Amino acid sequence: GIDQVKVRSNRRLFIDGLRKWMPAACIFFILALPVLFFWSEKKHHAKEIISQKIITETGIHKKIFLPDGTSVTLNAGSELTVSPAYGKKDRSVFLKGEGFFDVAHNKHLPFIVHTGQYKIKALGTRFNLKNYIGDPTSETALLEGRVQILLNDGVKDVVYKTLEVNQKFVIQNKADSVQIVKEIIQIAPLAYDEADRNIETAWIDNFLIFEDMKLEEITKILERRFDVNIVIKDRELLNYKYTASFEK
C-alpha cells in the first residue's frame, strides 16, 4: 500500500545518497591517512620519550648502558632521565639519587649531568655523583679523567672548578642562589678506609662504609639500601657520629 511505497522510496533515496557521497568520503579518508599516520607516529614518539627515564627502587641497584657505550650504575632509590636527543644533538642526563658514571669519550659531544643546582661536564671519565633529594649535600667524586663543575651566574653556565683525580666537589643542598653557593662549596680529597677502599664508591661493590657520619644520614642510607623504615625516637641521637663498615 501507500506505506510500502514510502518505505521503498525512502530506501531508494538513502541508497542514492550513499552512491552520491561515497566517492567524496573515500577521497577524504585517503587524504586523512597521512594525518592519522602522523598522529599515530607522534603518540608513539611520545612514548619513546617517556621511556627514557630509568628508576631504581629502594633495596636494589642496577647497571645500564647508554647508546654511546657510557655505563651508569644507579644506586637504590635513584632516577636517571636521558635526553631524547642523546647521542645526536647532546649527551645530557638528569640525575636524582646516586650514580657511578663511566663515560665514553666523545670530544664533539660533551657528557653533561644536570643535578638541579649545578652541572657536571665530561668528555671521557669515571666519576660518582650523589644527589639525593633531602640529603644535606650533593657530591661529585672524580676517580679518573677530568670533569668541570658548571654553576649558573644568573645569565649563563660558568666553569667553577675543574676537578682533578681523587678530588670531590661538595655543595649544600640548601643553596638557592650562586652568591650563597660560593660560601658553602667545598673541594675535598676522596676518602679511603683502612683497607684502601674508596668510601664514595664502595656501594658499587656492596660495601657500606660510614666515616664519622651522623646517625641521621646513616639512617637514610640504610633505609634506601634495605628498603626499610627506621624510627629513632630519641632525636638527639641523630646528631651522634659513627664510623663503621659493612658488606651486604
Side-chain angles (χ1 to χ4, degrees):
I2 295 175
D3 291 335
Q4 288 181 343
V5 171
K6 286 183 178 179
V7 169
R8 288 176 183 174
S9 176
N10 289 338
R11 187 177 299 167
R12 187 176 296 110
L13 287 172
F14 174 74
I15 293 172
D16 289 341
L18 277 180
R19 288 173 179 171
K20 179 179 179 181
W21 291 105
M22 186 65 74
C26 289
I27 292 172
F28 174 80
F29 180 76
I30 293 171
L31 290 175
L33 275 176
V35 177
L36 292 172
F37 178 76
F38 173 76
W39 179 76
S40 176
E41 283 293 298
K42 191 173 182 180
K43 279 188 67 179
H44 179 69
H45 184 60
K47 289 181 180 178
E48 289 180 348
I49 293 174
I50 294 172
S51 70
Q52 298 293 323
K53 183 178 291 186
I54 302 101
I55 297 174
T56 53
E57 303 296 336
T58 53
I60 63 171
H61 63 254
K62 69 173 72 169
K63 186 174 184 178
I64 62 170
F65 290 88
L66 301 178
D68 64 338
T70 293
S71 67
V72 186
T73 304
L74 292 175
N75 205 348
S78 299
E79 177 182 302
L80 183 76
T81 303
V82 183
S83 165
Y86 189 93
K88 299 174 183 177
K89 296 181 179 179
D90 62 49
R91 288 201 297 166
S92 291
V93 298
F94 304 77
L95 179 69
K96 297 176 184 177
E98 185 168 18
F100 179 79
F101 296 84
D102 191 343
V103 181
H105 182 77
N106 185 338
K107 65 179 181 180
H108 301 295
L109 284 179
F111 185 85
I112 298 179
V113 186
H114 302 250
T115 70
Q117 284 198 105
Y118 65 100
K119 299 174 185 176
I120 303 111
K121 180 180 178 181
L123 293 176
T125 183
R126 297 169 71 236
F127 64 94
N128 191 78
L129 170 60
K130 186 179 180 183
N131 185 51
Y132 282 105
I133 296 174
D135 276 9
T137 61
S138 174
E139 300 183 1
T140 298
L142 180 63
L143 281 84
E144 183 181 303
R146 189 177 66 168
V147 299
Q148 291 179 331
I149 303 299
L150 307 179
L151 295 177
N152 193 284
D153 64 0
V155 179
K156 63 183 184 303
D157 291 331
V158 295
V159 178
Y160 172 79
K161 176 73 175 178
T162 299
L163 290 184
E164 298 178 2
V165 173
N166 285 328
Q167 279 187 331
K168 68 178 179 180
F169 170 84
V170 183
I171 181 173
Q172 290 187 19
N173 280 330
K174 295 178 182 177
D176 57 6
S177 72
V178 174
Q179 287 71 27
I180 296 176
V181 163
K182 291 181 178 178
E183 298 175 0
I184 55 178
I185 281 177
Q186 180 184 8
I187 304 297
L190 300 191
Y192 292 83
D193 68 359
E194 294 178 353
D196 202 33
R197 287 186 293 250
N198 176 239
I199 293 176
E200 286 82 7
T201 59
W203 64 271
I204 300 172
D205 298 316
N206 292 315
F207 281 95
L208 292 176
I209 304 176
F210 307 125
E211 193 78 23
D212 197 30
M213 185 180 292
K214 286 185 177 181
L215 181 59
E216 183 177 12
E217 189 174 352
I218 292 175
T219 299
K220 290 180 181 179
I221 293 173
L222 293 176
E223 287 180 333
R224 287 191 294 254
R225 185 62 176 269
F226 298 104
D227 191 21
V228 295
N229 184 35
I230 300 173
V231 178
I232 308 293
K233 291 186 177 180
D234 188 346
R235 304 297 296 176
E236 290 185 7
L237 295 176
L238 295 176
N239 291 318
Y240 286 20
K241 294 184 177 180
Y242 296 89
T243 296
S245 62
F246 305 92
E247 182 176 6
K248 185 177 178 181

